[in-house]
C-alpha cells in the first residue's frame, strides 16, 4: 500500500538506493468515480519521490455498474409500484436498493429510494441514478418501441436504414426485411440452409447481404426478395463481413481462419487477406490515417478491386489474436495477442475498439509498433457480444447479461447511459439509422431507442 494506492507485482530486486523494482505490475487506486486499475510493465518504488513508472503503461477504468429492473418505466407509473436497483464493482458483492413510486404528478412518478442510492431525475423514458459512494451517474433509457412480431427466437443480427427498413436474422433460420414504422414484414429472404449470423444493408439501402452457418454469402434485393448472387469459398461458418464503399467488393471472415476479398459482380474471390490458425469471429474496415503509408502491392491487383487503396481490415479471433491488414497490398500493419477471445470489433476515428469474452473493452491506436491499448474498460466480467461506434465520440457495447451501455471517449466523463428492456437476455447486435439505436436480443425482440438528446445533455453540456 502507498497512500490511496495498492500496488501488486513480481519483485525483481532492489536498486543501489534500496528501492524495489517490480514487473507485471497492477496499480489499484481509489477515486470518487470508483476503483482505477493501471497495468505497468515495470515500476520502481521510490519512498521519497513517489513511484517511477518504467516503461509504457495503460489505464483500466473500473467504474461501478448500476443496474435497474428491466420494466422500471412501467412499474413506477403505478402508485406503490416498485423497481429494484443494484450497484456492483467488479469482483465485489452487489449493493441492492429499491425505488418506490408514490403516484404520478403531472404524468411523472414521485419516488422514494432506499439508502445508498439517489434518483437525480426521472421522465417518461429516462431515469438518472447515482450510488452514494461513487460520482458515476447512470442514465437509464426505456425503449421508444419494441418489435416482437418479426421473429419467434433469438435475434442475432440486425441492420436498419434511414428510410425505415430493417433486416434481421434469428436462430430459427429466418431472415426478414420489415418496416420500422409499422413493424410489418415486407419480405422473407429464403435460401440459406443454416442460421444466418450476420446481415447488413449495402449503402443503397435496398440491397442486403447475409452470411452464416452454410458458409455462403448471399446478396438480396430487399424490394423483391430475390437473391441474384451467392458467394461460396469458405470451408466453415461465416461469422462477419465488411462492405467496401458502395459495395462492388466485400470482405468476409470465417471460422476457417480466412478473410476473403470478393468481387460481387463476378461472384468471385479475389484474394485471401488473412489466413490464421484460429477462427475469426469479427472484422471491420477503416481508412488509413496520415501516419501509415500503404505501399503498392508486389503483384498488381485486379481491376475488379475497387476502393481498397486506403482501407485497413481489422479482424478479431477466437484465440485472442487481433490483426490490422492493409487491404491494398495484403500486408500486416499491426497485431495484438490478447488474453481472451475477441467477439466484436469496430473502428473509432484513428483507433479501434475490441470487445472480449472476459468482459474487457480495449481501445488501440492504429499504427505500426503499437502494442499497448490506449485505454481499457473492465467494469464487468460479462462477455462483450456487440459494439457500435456512435458519431465518433463514443460507443455502445452489448453484453451477455443483457446490458447495453454507452461509453464516451471524447472527455474524462465516467458517466454511463444504459438501454433497458431485456431481462438478462444477451444483446447480440446493435444498429443505428442516423436517428435511433436498435438492439437485437435473445428474447426475440428488436428494440428502438431515442438516445441523441440524452447523450448531448450528459456529455456535451
Amino acid at each position: 500500500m502507498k497512500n490511496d494506492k495498492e500496488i501488486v507485482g513480481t519483485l525483481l530486486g532492489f536498486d543501489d538506493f534500496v528501492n524495489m523494482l517490480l514487473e507485471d505490475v497492477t496499480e489499484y487506486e481509489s477515486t470518487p468515480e470508483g476503483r482505477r486499475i493501471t497495468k505497468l510493465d515495470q515500476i520502481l518504488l521510490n519512498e521519497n519521490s513517489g513511484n517511477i513508472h518504467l516503461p509504457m503503461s495503460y489505464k483500466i477504468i473500473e467504474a461501478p455498474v448500476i443496474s435497474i429492473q428491466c420494466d422500471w418505466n412501467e412499474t413506477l407509473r403505478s402508485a406503490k409500484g416498485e423497481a429494484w436497483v443494484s450497484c456492483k464493482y467488479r469482483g465485489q458483492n452487489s449493493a441492492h436498493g429499491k425505488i418506490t413510486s408514490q403516484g404520478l404528478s403531472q404524468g411523472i412518478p414521485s419516488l422514494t429510494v432506499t439508502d445508498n442510492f439517489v434518483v437525480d431525475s426521472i421522465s417518461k423514458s429516462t431515469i438518472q441514478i447515482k450510488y452514494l459512494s461513487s460520482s458515476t451517474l447512470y442514465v437509464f433509457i426505456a425503449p421508444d418501441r419494441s418489435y416482437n412480431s418479426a421473429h419467434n427466437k433469438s435475434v442475432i443480427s440486425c441492420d436498419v436504414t434511414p428510410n425505415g427498413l430493417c433486416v434481421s436474422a434469428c436462430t430459427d433460420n429466418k431472415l426478414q426485411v420489415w418496416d420500422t414504422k409499422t413493424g410489418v414484414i415486407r419480405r422473407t429472404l429464403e435460401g440459406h440452409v443454416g442460421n444466418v449470423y450476420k446481415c447488413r444493408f449495402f449503402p443503397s439501402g435496398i440491397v442486403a447481404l447475409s452470411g452464416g452457418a452454410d458458409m455462403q454469402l448471399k446478396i438480396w434485393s430487399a424490394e423483391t426478395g430475390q437473391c441474384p448472387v451467392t458467394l461460396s469459398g469458405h470451408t466453415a461458418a461465416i461469422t462477419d463481413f465488411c462492405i467496401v464503399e458502395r459495395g462492388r467488393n466485400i470482405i468476409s471472415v470465417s471460422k476457417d481462419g480466412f478473410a476473403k476479398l470478393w468481387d460481387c459482380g463476378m461472384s468471385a474471390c479475389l484474394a485471401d487477406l488473412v489466413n490464421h490458425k484460429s477462427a475469426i469471429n469479427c472484422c471491420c474496415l477503416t481508412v488509413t490515417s496520415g501516419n501509415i503509408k500503404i505501399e503498392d502491392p508486389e503483384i498488381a491487383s485486379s481491376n475488379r478491386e475497387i476502393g481498397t487503396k486506403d482501407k485497413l481490415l481489422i479482424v478479431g479471433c477466437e484465440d485472442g489474436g487481433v490483426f490490422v491488414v492493409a487491404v491494398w497490398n495484403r500486408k500486416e500493419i499491426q497485431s495484438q495477442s490478447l488474453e481472451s477471445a475477441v467477439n466484436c470489433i469496430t473502428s473509432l476515428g484513428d483507433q479501434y475498439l475490441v470487445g472480449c469474452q472476459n468482459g474487457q473493452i480495449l481501445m488501440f491506436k492504429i499504427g505500426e509498433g503499437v502494442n499497448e491499448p490506449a485505454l481499457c474498460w473492465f467494469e464487468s466480467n460479462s462477455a462483450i457480444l456487440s459494439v457500435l461506434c456512435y458519431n465518433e465520440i463514443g460507443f455502445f457495447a452489448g453484453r451477455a447479461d443483457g446490458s447495453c451501455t454507452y461509453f464516451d471517449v471524447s472527455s474524462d466523463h465516467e458517466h454511463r447511459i444504459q438501454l433497458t428492456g431485456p431481462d438478462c437476455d444477451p444483446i447480440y447486435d446493435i444498429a443505428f439509422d442516423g436517428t435511433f439505436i436498435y438492439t437485437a436480443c435473445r428474447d426475440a425482440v428488436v428494440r428502438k431507442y431515442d438516445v441523441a438528446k440524452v447523450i448531448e445533455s450528459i456529455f456535451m453540456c
Side-chain angles (χ1 to χ4, degrees):
M1 291 289 293
K2 184 173 179 65
N3 299 328
D4 57 348
K5 295 181 180 179
E6 179 182 355
I7 298 169
V8 179
T10 302
L11 179 64
L12 292 179
F14 299 86
D15 68 4
D16 293 340
F17 300 97
V18 201
N19 297 312
M20 287 190 295
L21 180 63
L22 305 177
E23 70 173 358
D24 297 329
V25 178
T26 303
E27 183 179 271
Y28 301 90
E29 180 181 5
S30 297
T31 71
E33 291 79 20
R35 186 175 59 168
R36 290 182 186 273
I37 297 180
T38 303
K39 294 285 189 179
L40 306 166
D41 292 336
Q42 290 184 344
I43 191 172
L44 187 65
L45 289 183
N46 186 315
E47 183 65 28
N48 297 320
S49 60
N51 305 333
I52 301 173
H53 294 174
L54 311 168
M56 183 182 295
S57 67
Y58 64 94
K59 182 172 70 173
I60 298 181
I61 298 174
E62 275 207 329
V65 175
I66 301 178
S67 304
I68 195 171
Q69 187 171 311
C70 64
D71 59 349
W72 65 269
N73 55 310
E74 298 175 1
T75 59
L76 294 181
R77 296 191 65 81
S78 304
K80 302 302 180 182
E82 295 179 344
W84 61 260
V85 63
S86 69
C87 178
K88 179 175 172 58
Y89 288 89
R90 191 178 66 87
Q92 300 181 22
N93 292 331
S94 298
H96 299 279
K98 184 184 295 183
I99 304 171
T100 304
S101 173
Q102 304 301 317
L104 298 180
S105 174
Q106 297 181 340
I108 304 299
S110 177
L111 305 175
T112 59
V113 61
T114 53
D115 292 343
N116 298 324
F117 291 92
V118 174
V119 175
D120 272 12
S121 67
I122 185 171
S123 68
K124 290 183 179 180
S125 60
T126 66
I127 184 170
Q128 299 186 14
I129 299 176
K130 280 184 179 180
Y131 185 62
L132 285 181
S133 67
S134 169
S135 62
T136 301
L137 175 71
Y138 261 74
V139 183
F140 297 94
I141 303 180
D144 185 72
R145 183 169 182 179
S146 297
Y147 305 91
N148 53 17
S149 60
H151 298 284
N152 295 319
K153 290 192 176 181
S154 303
V155 184
I156 52 180
S157 185
C158 73
D159 193 24
V160 286
T161 73
N163 297 325
L165 280 185
C166 180
V167 60
S168 56
C170 73
T171 54
D172 199 23
N173 192 21
K174 290 286 181 65
L175 182 60
Q176 311 276 32
V177 177
W178 47 276
D179 193 315
T180 59
K181 297 181 179 66
T182 63
V184 173
I185 296 175
R186 296 275 192 88
R187 293 284 182 269
T188 298
L189 308 180
E190 297 179 328
H192 281 287
V193 294
N195 285 335
V196 172
Y197 295 150
K198 187 68 66 172
C199 55
R200 291 290 184 265
F201 281 106
F202 281 80
S204 66
I206 57 174
V207 179
L209 175 65
S210 61
D214 63 2
M215 303 173 287
Q216 295 180 333
L217 293 156
K218 288 184 175 290
I219 299 175
W220 309 85
S221 166
E223 296 178 323
T224 66
Q226 294 180 333
C227 174
V229 177
T230 297
L231 306 174
S232 300
H234 282 292
T235 58
I238 294 168
T239 53
D240 203 356
F241 51 70
C242 306
I243 298 171
V244 182
E245 295 190 347
R246 296 181 62 83
R248 289 186 61 174
N249 299 125
I250 60 176
I251 298 170
S252 61
V253 298
S254 166
K255 291 183 178 181
D256 62 14
F258 282 89
K260 293 180 178 290
L261 174 67
W262 301 88
D263 172 22
C264 296
M266 297 294 291
S267 302
C269 179
L270 298 178
D272 290 333
L273 304 179
V274 176
N275 180 3
H276 188 53
K277 62 183 179 180
S278 171
I280 303 177
N281 293 332
C282 52
C283 64
C284 72
L285 271 182
T286 189
V287 178
T288 57
S289 58
N291 65 332
I292 299 177
K293 183 180 179 181
I294 305 299
E295 299 175 351
D296 288 335
E298 297 175 358
I299 300 175
S301 301
S302 166
N303 60 6
R304 303 292 302 181
E305 186 175 336
I306 307 297
T308 63
K309 284 188 177 182
D310 61 345
K311 300 299 188 297
L312 298 177
L313 174 69
I314 311 172
V315 302
C317 306
E318 183 66 22
D319 65 357
V322 179
F323 303 94
V324 181
V325 177
V327 179
W328 179 241
N329 62 18
R330 327 307 194 213
K331 292 184 177 180
E332 183 179 297
I333 301 295
Q334 185 177 348
S335 66
Q336 313 291 343
S337 182
L338 306 181
E339 298 175 354
S340 175
V342 178
N343 292 333
C344 49
I345 203 162
T346 191
S347 61
L348 184 67
D350 62 351
Q351 303 174 110
Y352 62 91
L353 296 160
V354 176
C356 298
Q357 181 67 23
N358 66 357
Q360 288 186 333
I361 306 169
L362 299 162
M363 185 169 70
F364 290 92
K365 188 173 181 63
I366 298 173
E368 295 179 313
V370 177
N371 297 315
E372 296 280 351
L375 199 59
C376 173
W377 291 265
F378 200 7
E379 302 174 359
S380 169
N381 292 325
S382 180
I384 305 292
L385 303 180
S386 51
V387 63
L388 174 76
C389 171
Y390 180 82
N391 287 348
E392 300 296 332
I393 60 171
F395 63 94
F396 285 89
R399 294 185 183 267
D401 62 7
S403 63
C404 185
T405 309
Y406 175 77
F407 299 82
D408 179 77
V409 298
S410 64
S411 68
D412 293 331
H413 285 295
E414 291 194 4
H415 301 326
R416 303 286 181 262
I417 294 174
Q418 187 161 305
L419 311 182
T420 62
D423 188 6
C424 300
D425 288 295
I427 303 297
Y428 292 126
D429 206 359
I430 313 169
F432 181 51
D433 67 0
T435 303
F436 300 99
I437 293 290
Y438 294 76
T439 60
C441 186
R442 189 179 65 180
D443 61 7
V445 180
V446 175
R447 293 176 174 87
K448 181 174 79 171
Y449 300 87
D450 190 356
V451 303
K453 291 182 179 179
V454 177
I455 291 176
E456 182 177 356
S457 66
I458 298 298
F459 295 104
M460 301 181 186
C461 56

